[in-house]
Amino acid sequence: MKSFKIIIGCLGTILLLMVVVPLLRMILAADPGILKTTVTEPEVTQSILLTLRCALWATLACAFLGIPLAYILARWQFPARSLVQGVIDLPVMIPHTAAGIALLMVYGRRFPLGKAFASVGVSFVGTEAGISLAMAFVSLPFLVNAARDGFFSIDPRLERVARTLGASPWKAFFRVSLPLAWRPILSGGIMMWARGVSEFGAVIVLAYHPMTAPVLIWERFESYGLKYARPVAVVLILLCLIIFAVLRGIAGKHREV
Amino acid sequence: MLRLQDVRVTLGDFRLHDISLHAKQGEYMVLLGPTGTGKTVLLETIAGMHQIEKGKIFIHGRDATRLPPEKRNLGVVYQDYALFPHLTVRKNIAFGLELRGEPGYKSRKAVREIADFLDIGQILDRRPVNLSGGERQRVALARALVLEPYALLLDEPLSALDRSTRDRLRRELKRIHKEFGVTIVHITHDLTEAFFLAGHLAVMKDGHILQEGKPEDVLKRPRSRVVAELLGIENFIAATWTAGVLLSPMGPIDFSPPRFDFAECPKKLYLTVPGWCVEVLPQKEEKRYAWMGNMRVAGVDLMDGHLELELSHSSGERLRTSVSRREVEALAVSFEIGRKVPIGLLKEGIHVIPQ
């Protein structure tokens, strides 16, 4: 028993160190003076805010569309179910630059859907909408899969009983299924948002400008080298860490109730 | 009140085969059957949760075949009670009332009344996770009853409970039925539960209703060996009807059951002999026995209040019976394996079914 604990403890620690060491190294290596200047640089703050905002829009839009799909996958049995599940997982597997190209070929100005959106004043190339779209495309599996697992873990008889007590399918969903599945949904939402924040490949194809933080880091690295790219990365990491900890804390707090 | 007419439902490989049932107003109907026989599917079909392929369902005189569950006004209580874990007991009970748009004061009054009736007034602010099995069952009943449903559908409501709670709640169900006068359809695989509660009994297996009627009638006259077995009858003596005489390997049986048409029945039969009809050391008048003779004790199982005996006849036939400990003392016989004991088969419980 003791050796079992020691071995699995060591294995877990190795993995943890693989994540922590590079991040810590980068944070500690940052020059406080440059870090301070970077935080106050308008280009950096705007870029970070843009990233956080676009990831939020992407998450909210996917929650609106993805939660119903997650419910369908958890509750309904239909022939193409596995296929639909595979399609949802696809963005995780394909290279994100390829995802960006695929999106460009649908929402680009020269393509029918892009033209249709452009006719109502919405453009996805070089805009916040494009960044959000790219973020949504690559990170939606996190939300949809978490929500699906959440709904799946709820006994369907709870919904059936709600129906016999007078609830329509909508009311059963909103008063029973959704309140019971909200924690996995929130957890999936946080993961999706975080994944959106870190997205680079798909975003750079659709919208190099306005620059999100990952694009800015890349651009500074290419143009000025590691010394000038690192502070932006550190600011982004620290900010995400704080937001992540707060959101996880909220989810964990409700778990104890 | 609740009538099913040739209802057929197919769910994957399983099928309910043209079920017809009728529960009268205020009747306590028990559907008895082994696990996996389709009892829950039938109950959920009545509640409107499964699409009907064929047939009709009438609730309160109205064709409810196409009505969604929320329009049927039927209360459902599942085996594990399916209480909403995110709501307190009070909110669980008030759930349906709120959906109906009952004003707050009315809803609170109704919740309080049903909680008092079921003795759960002190747990109204608790969450289901903090309740015992018995309390959960009462809450589930309260949640269904507070809406004054046309009928209450109970899906093995006692099977998740320990024995003493089960015995107590069985009596409680009888009281609820008496006080509310609500029609109840209760499914179970438990014989004691079925006979204790049923005003009308339906025996079910593999998606078929095999027999229905008053519990005592079904028990006295099972239609087939399968029904008899489901009713807990363990003794089946093969017999033939030849020249007006019932012949078994144990010898002739002096028995002609009422309401049984031997002219139409096949020659090969089974005598169904409930355990209580197998009398050890028969002491009643001889004409009350269909058969008397000696059998050897082949097995003895000591139970809490009685002995389970397995008896063997020289022909190879075996019978099972039980003798209470008080009877054992009164008989002053020791039931050692191999010992011969006089046995009598009481006519009053024996029945004949085709082989």
Side-chain angles (χ1 to χ4, degrees), chain A residues 155 157-158 160-169 171 175-176 179-180, chain B residues 44 49 69-70 74 76 78 80 82-86 96 98-99 143 147:
Chain A
D155 186 347
R157 286 181 303 175
L158 292 175
R160 292 180 194 163
V161 165
R163 297 287 308 278
T164 66
L165 294 170
S168 64
K171 282 185 177 164
R175 298 191 63 153
V176 177
L180 286 172
Chain B
E44 290 183 340
M49 297 165 194
E70 62 268 27
L74 299 172
V76 176
Y78 278 111
D80 58 2
L83 299 176
F84 304 128
H86 58 303
E98 282 174 20
L99 286 169
R143 186 176 62 178
L147 295 174

Side-chain angles (χ1 to χ4, degrees), chain B residues 169-186:
Chain B
L169 288 174
R170 210 160 45 203
R171 288 192 291 277
E172 186 76 9
L173 281 176
K174 216 167 196 174
R175 182 175 77 101
I176 289 167
H177 178 239
K178 198 175 159 195
E179 295 277 332
F180 279 82
V182 64
T183 309
I184 295 181
V185 179
H186 176 137

